[in-house]
Amino acid sequence: MTQAAAQLAVDDTWVPTHCSMCYHGCPILVHRVNGVAVKIEGHPQCPATQGAACPKGNAGIMKLYDPHRVKTPLKRTNPEKGVGVDPGWVAITWDEARAILVERLKRIRETDPRKLAVGGFNPHSWYWGFAFGTAFGTPNANATLLFSSMGHMCGSGAHTAGLMTHGSMNTHPDVEYARYMMIVGGAAMEAYQSAVAYARLFGDAKQRGVKLVVVDPQQSRAAAKADEWVPIRPATDGALLFGMMHTLLLELKLYDAEYLKRYTNAAYLIGADQYPVRDPRTKKALVWDAVDGVAKPHDDPSIKDYALEGTYETPGGMGRPAFELFKEQIRPYTPEWAAEITSVPAATIRRLAQELGEAAQIGSTITIDGNQYPYRPASVAGYRGLGAHTNGLHSSWAMEMINLLIGATRAVGGARAWMSAHVPEAPAHLQPGPDGVVNHAHGEPELAYPPQTVTLMEYFPASFTPGLACYEAQLEPEKFNVTPIDTLIFECGNPVLTGQNPSRVIKGLTQIPFLVDITIYLDETAEFADLILPDATYLERWSVEGNWSIEDEGIMIQRPVVEPLYETRHSADVFIELARDLGILTGANGMSAILGMLHGGPAYDPDKHYRSAGEYVEDYVACFGGSDQERIWREGHNLRRIPVPKRYLPTCLNGYRLPFYNMWLMKTGDRLKALLAKHDAFREIGLDERIFFEYAPLPFWHPSVLVEEPPEFDLYVINWRTSIAVVGNGTVPASNAWLMEIAERDPYATRILLNAATATRKGLEDGTMVWVESPHGKIKGRLKVTETIHPEVIGTIGCTGHYTPHAVGRGKGPGNFNSLLGSGFRYMGPTSLQTECAARAKIYAV
């Protein structure tokens, strides 16, 4: 071998890291040759993905080597801001950018730290900004994804319902042991947690003969592979679930009474004030012992059988079991009632309920590793399509309730849900709350008046990620009695494209005096920045996080496959340097200490002067890696299957009960009412009592705001995610040449879909250029006539509509879908602030 050939052969290696093309973060291997990343593959030692990668994961190289990346810091010279207005960018050095920012931040910290906000959502790297902002002293740090559409446009309804029911922000079928799965508005195998892991798990399940039913207005890939696709009118999924519960409870009387008694608070006696009846001496919540005929504290070991129905006189007053109250609440929700709302026939609703209840095999058990567990191999699961509406919280809550009724939540084969992200291991059990009941995973929300945050969380304490509420507060601070921000440090997002409505987002951005955008691209949001800081991609950075998978737990690290290209820097290193300059890196309240709290413990030395993200990663692995440290450095992770006792009840509950009757939500609402009444707040702020509407101990049906739209908009319009176009920075696939090529070859992906019968009725033919118009805006695209969508629905994928020069998808696709959406609090859920992600619309030829 020649000397030149030997030198070329030196650098030919596979680098283990993990992906950040979406939030899931699958472990990957990247082939590097002579300093160049040439191929990405799934990591074969990952239990969930087993060596596979999705299209986005494979296309990560195109993000790294995109010629349109921002290559150096940029400063605005044109003070005018607007769509298409040239910012007059001039390149500056990092030292110049740092000086500009440090001077501004010092002034804000000396006057009012609340005037700084740190926002956006950088997958697997968001916590550096959160720790920096918290150490700075601002309550406006991005734990709630300030000014970002992440969560707000995605799963705030579903996340809140899951967190307050079983301590996790997502609910998933236990595919490994299931026999019957109903997916309601969730793009399983495409964009529902790990598309890669789920594709394998669902494929194995189909071979076992598992029945899959998909309820969705459009025939997703999951629906196409299902045993049954149930087309449904958008924003009505909750009504279907209420109709099914009516059938199970009142018609078939098919529910898991023993599960409800043993594992939930369904037997707790509730008084006229909607709170538990309590023992006058011990103050413990009471139940009625049906054998002894007497009221007893809920944890009395002498209880022989819990009464689920009836009315009882106790020393603490009259009370009725929570289960009885729910039966009464569910009585009006007949299948015929649901059919009128959903367009799903009543006979179908009854059949689905019966199939689900019978498939649950109520009363059965299974032995795993020598231990016996409840076995309920049926569940209902859903995500964005179910929850992304103004009624999404209660619709998602209905999903959680139906799983409780059949005994499926946390049972083998039923509904699985836990949070292992951000921490080295999945929790051994759920967070305990009052009266022996599992509490919301985030505990009791802090309340204050006037609000300290620009998210307005103080008015909406049950909201998961109210990022878009920031624009409302910034535009009308006096209306909400909040301090507007002066400076926003925003990273990795494009809310102009992905926010509630671009016009509202743009107005809000123009009201931010100084916007710093840490970004890879000069996208639509970057047009409104005053300072651009070029970020590194996930293939150029150090970072650490627990796993987002429902299958695995453990540590994953990101390491640079190549050194940062051009003059780019990882946002983490920017925050570390700023913290050092401002004197907030060290100490008990410094950035390092807060990072340790976020990462599950004292991983970092609060007095150490860290100089890079890589140093933090080294200490994290040393703290939590244990005997796996060598493996973590070698393979990039130490992921393993979550142990069975952590997965399933009874062990995962640690003796606590799941909240069939949700005291957390009702108490939060009552605390909020008391606070605002004390300050007579409605005299000062532009809100009213609608914000209390959803605070209740049991779920109920209410229609989406869409029913209030003008009748001339005779159809619904929806969008969806695919395996190539999913959450992230709003530029996938339109900034990725490989993914855009896939999208353009797909005859459905960049088209506007309309049912064939509807197209005939409106005189529209396949391939016609059409306008889709809502009360809020319109988009134009090419029509695809199909049978794969509900007759009342127009549909297309999201994340198109780029108009800035950097995107390969510029001008491709049907435009910015979110232009069709309403904006402001009227189009947000009254409690969760979940954005209404569908619209009423009409369609006509161009």
Side-chain angles (χ1 to χ4, degrees), residues 21-22 55-56 190-191 720-728 731-734 739 743 749 797-800:
M21 291 293 281
C22 79
K56 299 186 305 300
E190 290 184 87
W720 52 83
R721 301 169 179 170
T722 74
S723 57
I724 63 170
V726 72
V727 292
T731 56
V732 178
L739 296 178
I797 64 170
C799 292
T800 62

Side-chain angles (χ1 to χ4, degrees), residues 216-220 229 720 748 753-756 784-790:
D216 202 301
Q218 61 103 13
Q219 191 182 88
S220 64
W229 169 43
W720 52 83
Y748 292 86
L753 275 59
L754 188 66
N755 184 274
K784 177 65 179 177
V785 175
T786 176
E787 299 289 347
T788 64
I789 197 163
H790 190 286

Side-chain angles (χ1 to χ4, degrees), residues 207-261:
Q207 289 192 340
R208 297 198 315 269
V210 174
K211 181 165 184 179
L212 174 62
V213 177
V214 173
V215 180
D216 202 301
Q218 61 103 13
Q219 191 182 88
S220 64
R221 283 169 173 78
K225 294 172 175 59
D227 297 274
E228 182 176 1
W229 169 43
V230 182
I232 190 170
R233 192 173 285 142
T236 67
D237 311 80
L240 172 81
L241 298 174
F242 279 113
M244 289 176 63
M245 286 192 285
H246 180 283
T247 301
L248 288 167
L249 277 176
L250 301 177
E251 298 179 10
L252 301 175
K253 296 178 173 56
L254 185 57
Y255 56 90
D256 195 338
E258 291 307 310
Y259 176 100
L260 294 171
K261 294 173 183 179

Side-chain angles (χ1 to χ4, degrees), residues 109 132 135-136 578-586 589-592:
R109 193 156 187 260
F132 170 81
F136 184 88
L578 287 174
R580 191 166 56 247
D581 288 343
L582 295 169
I584 59 172
L585 183 66
T586 59
N589 298 313
M591 179 176 170
S592 297

